Amino acid sequence: MPIKTGDIKLVAQTEDVLGEVPLWHPERKVLTWIDVLKPAFHAYDPATGTTESWTPPEKLGSYAITDSQEVLISGRNGMALWSPTDGALHRLSHPESDRPDNILNDGRTDPRGRFLVASMDKMLSGAKGRLWQVSGAKGTQLVQDKDIFLPNSICWSPDGATFYLGDSHTNLIFAHDYDVDTGAISNRRLFADTKGLPGDVDGSSVDAEGYLWNARYDGGCLIRFTPDGKVDQTLELGVTKPTHVTFGGPDLKTMYVTTARFRLPAEKLASEPFSGGLLAMDSDVAGLPEALYS
């Protein structure tokens, strides 16, 4: 049965060049996200309708929320803990230091508080990316070192036993077995071949029913996939470049979508006033609570 969603609203127009990684903070009740290229770090409070923005110390590919004022940032100079409010910065690791042409891209925290982040060659010259796991207990460890071109779509099934990783260059989304106790990843397999669908694979989130929602960059829509990788529903958004989707609000039934203005001509921007902003809509299916990095 198709999931019902309400009217799409523009809740913050931050004119992001490349808005990304919307995360709902379960304790602070705010929605945070980044502009990868400006760069910027934003926080939207739906209770007041206000948005605050800060400038991070470098361009970020992704980040993780924590139970403190700090965020774990995945940037051009590696992993660090950063406080937006006072600018304090504590460097942790630089996993791609041996590959100067690589940058860290999509990342997310697993149900046990480990952060998984994948890298890519910034010139897109080949599948030179790697997948890393970052934890307070074990530091930064290599998980996968091949077959990653332009990583996106990192998320988990409701029980944490399936890990998803997509590739925007090949338009494939892969599933893996995931051991939530140890963080071990195995049994990589194709989840969905999306080459015949609108746009390209970008950020994803899984809802409480185990269906994966994928933002289709340059495709203007979200696509909901069944747990076995079939297209269940397509939701048109009215913007060309949606980049990521997540669930928030007190009942996790508000869908938030980040968008981009990157390389959109002036006439397209004039006809798409929501581009570069944060979108929100009500949903009759809930999402999963966002894990905090520990």
Side-chain angles (χ1 to χ4, degrees), residues 114-165:
R114 310 175 192 91
F115 184 71
L116 271 74
V117 60
S119 64
M120 56 181 278
D121 180 275
K122 62 187 174 184
M123 301 305 295
L124 297 177
S125 64
K128 300 176 182 179
R130 295 182 285 192
L131 179 65
W132 300 90
Q133 192 176 90
V134 184
S135 75
K138 295 184 178 180
T140 303
Q141 298 180 310
L142 180 64
V143 176
Q144 181 181 328
D145 63 355
K146 59 182 179 180
D147 299 328
I148 298 177
F149 206 115
L150 204 174
N152 270 307
S153 202
I154 289 179
C155 52
W156 283 264
S157 60
D159 62 2
T162 302
F163 165 71
Y164 298 100
L165 174 63

Side-chain angles (χ1 to χ4, degrees), residues 2 6 14 82 86 98 107 121 123 145 156 168 214 216 245 252 265 287:
T14 43
W82 171 62
D86 63 17
D98 62 324
D121 180 275
M123 301 305 295
D145 63 355
W156 283 264
S168 300
N214 179 236
R216 304 298 296 179
V245 56
L252 296 179

Side-chain angles (χ1 to χ4, degrees), residues 171-186:
N171 259 319
L172 303 175
I173 301 175
F174 293 94
H176 311 69
D177 291 342
Y178 195 82
D179 188 323
V180 292
D181 292 326
T182 66
I185 299 173
S186 61

Side-chain angles (χ1 to χ4, degrees), residues 114-290:
R114 310 175 192 91
F115 184 71
L116 271 74
V117 60
S119 64
M120 56 181 278
D121 180 275
K122 62 187 174 184
M123 301 305 295
L124 297 177
S125 64
K128 300 176 182 179
R130 295 182 285 192
L131 179 65
W132 300 90
Q133 192 176 90
V134 184
S135 75
K138 295 184 178 180
T140 303
Q141 298 180 310
L142 180 64
V143 176
Q144 181 181 328
D145 63 355
K146 59 182 179 180
D147 299 328
I148 298 177
F149 206 115
L150 204 174
N152 270 307
S153 202
I154 289 179
C155 52
W156 283 264
S157 60
D159 62 2
T162 302
F163 165 71
Y164 298 100
L165 174 63
D167 194 312
S168 300
H169 180 76
T170 63
N171 259 319
L172 303 175
I173 301 175
F174 293 94
H176 311 69
D177 291 342
Y178 195 82
D179 188 323
V180 292
D181 292 326
T182 66
I185 299 173
S186 61
N187 189 26
R188 179 177 181 261
R189 59 206 180 267
L190 182 65
F191 171 72
D193 183 338
T194 77
K195 290 192 286 291
L197 300 175
D200 299 317
V201 167
D202 212 325
S204 294
S205 286
V206 175
D207 64 32
E209 296 180 354
Y211 288 60
L212 183 147
W213 292 82
N214 179 236
R216 304 298 296 179
Y217 189 83
D218 277 332
C221 63
L222 303 177
I223 296 180
R224 188 186 194 230
F225 292 91
T226 65
D228 59 357
K230 295 181 174 62
V231 173
D232 173 71
Q233 182 175 347
T234 299
L235 176 63
E236 300 292 337
L237 295 171
V239 294
T240 299
K241 297 178 184 287
T243 57
H244 209 309
V245 56
T246 198
F247 292 81
D251 54 3
L252 296 179
K253 286 189 174 181
T254 301
M255 294 179 69
Y256 289 100
V257 180
T258 49
T259 67
R261 298 163 63 92
F262 184 65
R263 293 180 177 171
L264 283 178
E267 60 271 19
K268 178 66 80 170
L269 286 173
S271 66
E272 296 183 6
F274 287 8
S275 289
L278 177 69
L279 312 184
M281 70 203 84
D282 295 331
S283 169
D284 64 354
V285 64
L288 301 173
E290 200 68 45

